[in-house]
Amino acid sequence: MARLGYSEEHQAFRHTVRSFLDREHEPQLARYEAQGGTDRDFWRKAGEAGILGLAVTGGGDFTFNAIMAEELGRTVGSATTGSSLMADIATYILSGHGTEAQKDKYIPGILTGEWTQAMPLTEPNAGSDATAITATALRDRDDYVINGEKYFISNGTGANLLYVVAKTDPAARGKGMSVIIVEEGTPGVTRHKIKTVGWGCGDTGALNFENVRVPVTNLVGTEGGAMKILMSTFLEDRIQIAARCLGAASTALALTLDYVRSRKVSGQRVIDFQNSQFALAECRADILICETMVDASLQKLRDGQFTFEDGAVLKLWSTQMEGRVLDKCVQLWGGAGLMDENPISRMWTAARIQRIYAGTDELQKVAIARGLMG
């Protein structure tokens, strides 16, 4: 079925991403598992394939990012390596708010995969409420001196270009937050990978900044302007997460259909039981609804009509949808669905993180309720 809102250029890009993942991601999964995740070579090859820096090469059309997210979700390996390539949406921070000097310095390397990005925002005691962060970046003549901890950071240990969110004016709460670039190798930065239940080889990192000194020219946007930058990024992030959920649920259903067509119980194929057919039908309906929501959201984003409430509804529904579909699929696999050798088990485990990270279900409900209350 043709999907609305996608041009021939979009479809060609989808083919490019699919070919790259089939070539450089899925066959390499055993190696990534052995070394604990993807490596810099993976990013360089992504650059060679032309799928990085889409905020620049895609002309600001976020549909290209959503396509990459959906195709990444469709790979069985993404349940192990995590969001990986989606860290590239941080390019929107630089392209939309960086100085010309910053763009000239970093964008060429972002396009080739030499620069990989992360946005250290979340802290051990500041998750859903971004304004509660305590990391500081205090001015000392021509430098900022950064101190504080960051936690649960996607691409946190592998990235060599960090957009650190810290308070340049701690007394001003949200209005005192700024985004400052810190490059890999800057003295005072230490980091380590956090082991998680899902995304066993994903790069979720903890970072510590101790008297990290960077020039004031590393400020992105204006002092106190972090919330404006973050709000625009959050809108786009909601769509890419939903697209990834859509891709994962679609692959889970396809894997399950293959399994129930061949697996027999008491001499009868599992798919021939009415209960199995009802569960599969519910999965299919959920996936089609999510597909429509993602495509409509992209259209609203292109038209400048995608709101924060829209993003909350989309993230809440799509992540819960993925959880429902994966749970039904695992149930149809029976005991085999819990075996690590079957990708469905890792996909089921990985789906759980979606309802927590990048804004919990509860936070989305708060945003929706505020809209209802006017």
Side-chain angles (χ1 to χ4, degrees), residues 29 33 52 59 68 107 164 169 189 208 286-287 290 364 370:
L29 191 58
E33 289 178 335
L52 296 180
M68 185 158 69
I107 284 179
V164 180
D169 183 359
V189 181
N208 185 70
D286 264 352
I287 290 168
C290 187
Q364 310 314 314
R370 284 176 178 167

Side-chain angles (χ1 to χ4, degrees), residues 232-248:
S232 62
T233 304
F234 287 160
L235 286 178
E236 294 153 348
D237 198 36
R238 299 292 183 257
I239 296 178
Q240 71 89 5
I241 289 172
R244 198 140 35 92
C245 291
L246 171 61

